[in-house]
Amino acid sequence: MNAFVTRLIPEAGLQMVRQVCQVRVWEGELPPPREVLLQQVAGCDGLICLLTDPIDAGVIAAGGRLRVISQFAVGVDNIDLAAATARGIPVGHTPGVLTEATADLAFGLLLAAARRIPEGIEYVRAGRWRTWEPLGLLGAAVWGATLGVVGLGRIGTAVARRGRGFGMRVLYTSRTRKQRLEAELGLERVVLGDLLARADFVTLHCPLTPETYHLIDERALRRMKPTAVLVNTARGPVMEMEALARALREGWIAAAALDVTDPEPLPPDHPLLSLPNCIILPHIGSATVAARERMAVMAAENLLAGLRGEQLPYCANPEVYGEGEQLRSERNGGFSRRGLGL
Ligand code: DGY
């Protein structure tokens, strides 16, 4: 059997696949070009891909003998799930193992934006620190502030827990009410409009779907407090980037801290890159040694199960096995624009 892996991933996962398959790994620094993807997919039984690979209907159709697609990520918005399901191809992904790493980064971004940490670093490096300043680099208090979590799935919940640890009042949106978590963590479920109006910090944790595309647009940004901070570790297209740049320039909100953008990377002349109140990281939410190793093992487990003709342990399109809407909705954290009060 042949497997194609679209980038070098941690050895722990590759080793598992090598024991069973002839493995070809694309070792380029950038993702394989489309023609390479099409050519490789045509000859392989299993594919391990990344969020940077557009696995559209054309690529899936090229995989005449493809039995499984295994994504090295939890998000699968780069894959045409309907096209895979239509061809009976299960799609694996890696939920759970990157939750805490991503939540740590989201909270780190929140703190960095609130307390203006990158500006402080820059200030010192530029030799501008001459004395202790009573009015210098004042930021926003995190302790006791209100946190708004958009999408209370695994990562959203992990960020909510961190917020509670910082004495924050936590609001959340979700199509389904999470009563157990409300009771355990003292969370309050609200519609998105209220969350945006009340939160001092808004953190995005919804998957990218047609419902959440440009969820944070001009209208949403204008509902936020002028002192508010927006954090996004989910997917770039959940925000409307031009509207965000205007919001930061014109003071509709105070700051943004992003691990994801649209596109990725941003072009060097993008307005967001020159704003002092915007922090941008290169999509490193899951980038810990431990999380990436577990993701590689999970991607391998999914691939191997698919090649054996078994149900994938972590499947993003369970409908391929005849399971229905209920499961699909659970996978999305019960997420729909309607449920957000938009
Ligand atoms: C994911 O898994 O979807 C992250 O964006 C990358 O780890």
Side-chain angles (χ1 to χ4, degrees):
M1 267 181 297
N2 294 325
F4 180 54
V5 185
T6 62
R7 298 289 289 288
L8 209 48
I9 62 170
E11 189 54 32
L14 284 179
Q15 238 177 36
M16 290 168 64
V17 182
R18 277 202 198 99
Q19 281 167 11
V20 178
C21 297
Q22 291 278 81
V23 183
R24 224 167 289 153
V25 180
W26 173 257
E27 296 198 3
E29 273 181 36
L30 294 176
R34 185 173 175 81
E35 56 279 14
V36 172
L37 199 53
L38 287 168
Q39 186 202 351
Q40 291 296 333
V41 158
C44 75
D45 307 279
L47 171 70
I48 294 186
C49 54
L50 271 59
L51 52 89
T52 42
D53 303 312
I55 309 297
D56 56 25
V59 172
I60 292 168
R65 49 192 267 199
L66 195 59
R67 292 163 66 175
V68 56
I69 298 170
S70 177
Q71 167 96 331
F72 178 77
V74 63
V76 286
D77 44 276
N78 58 308
I79 302 176
D80 187 335
L81 289 185
T85 305
R87 292 185 162 257
I89 301 173
V91 176
H93 67 148
T94 63
V97 292
L98 47 80
T99 299
E100 304 302 338
T102 308
D104 281 346
L105 192 86
F107 217 84
L109 280 171
L110 184 155
L111 290 169
R115 300 304 305 273
R116 303 174 60 183
I117 291 173
E119 284 175 81
I121 294 171
E122 194 43 47
Y123 191 75
V124 173
R125 286 206 172 139
R128 291 166 58 207
W129 181 23
R130 295 171 57 221
T131 181
W132 186 84
E133 294 181 46
L135 298 178
L137 285 169
L138 301 187
V142 172
W143 183 266
T146 299
L147 174 65
V149 179
V150 178
L152 199 71
R154 290 183 191 82
I155 300 171
T157 303
V159 174
R161 285 186 197 284
R162 284 157 177 74
R164 292 297 289 144
F166 276 73
M168 300 177 95
R169 171 196 301 275
V170 183
L171 313 175
Y172 77 96
T173 62
S174 170
R175 185 169 66 175
T176 53
R177 191 165 167 203
K178 311 282 172 84
Q179 268 170 307
R180 190 185 55 74
L181 285 171
E182 282 180 22
E184 183 194 334
L185 297 174
L187 312 181
E188 184 187 346
R189 181 176 174 232
V190 293
V191 294
L192 182 63
D194 287 349
L195 181 145
L196 295 172
R198 288 172 57 193
D200 300 301
F201 298 91
V202 173
T203 183
L204 306 180
H205 300 290
C206 49
L208 174 62
T209 66
E211 286 78 35
T212 62
Y213 178 78
H214 284 186
L215 184 71
I216 304 301
D217 57 6
E218 170 166 351
R219 189 165 67 112
L221 289 160
R222 284 195 184 273
R223 289 196 79 143
M224 291 173 66
K225 297 181 183 182
T227 48
V229 172
L230 176 70
V231 178
N232 189 0
T233 53
R235 285 292 183 267
V238 174
M239 309 167 301
E240 216 257 278
M241 301 297 284
E242 299 314 318
L244 177 62
R246 282 183 52 216
L248 291 169
R249 226 179 4 239
E250 296 173 16
W252 315 346
I253 66 172
L258 316 173
D259 184 42
V260 291
T261 59
D262 180 25
E264 287 183 8
L266 290 177
D269 59 348
H270 194 281
L272 282 181
L273 292 174
S274 55
L275 292 176
N277 54 348
C278 187
I279 298 171
I280 302 185
L281 294 180
H283 202 148
I284 55 169
S286 64
T288 67
V289 174
R292 290 282 165 87
E293 271 190 6
R294 287 196 223 116
M295 286 165 67
V297 168
M298 224 162 162
E301 285 170 356
N302 278 327
L303 186 95
L304 297 176
L307 293 178
R308 288 192 299 265
E310 293 167 7
Q311 192 150 337
L312 308 196
Y314 311 98
C315 187
N317 60 340
E319 53 275 19
V320 77
Y321 301 117
E323 294 168 23
E325 175 55 33
Q326 163 91 20
L327 268 172
R328 193 165 34 243
S329 158
E330 277 168 18
R331 194 183 62 232
N332 285 345
F335 220 87
S336 83
R337 193 176 277 267
R338 194 162 42 91
L340 291 168
L342 285 174

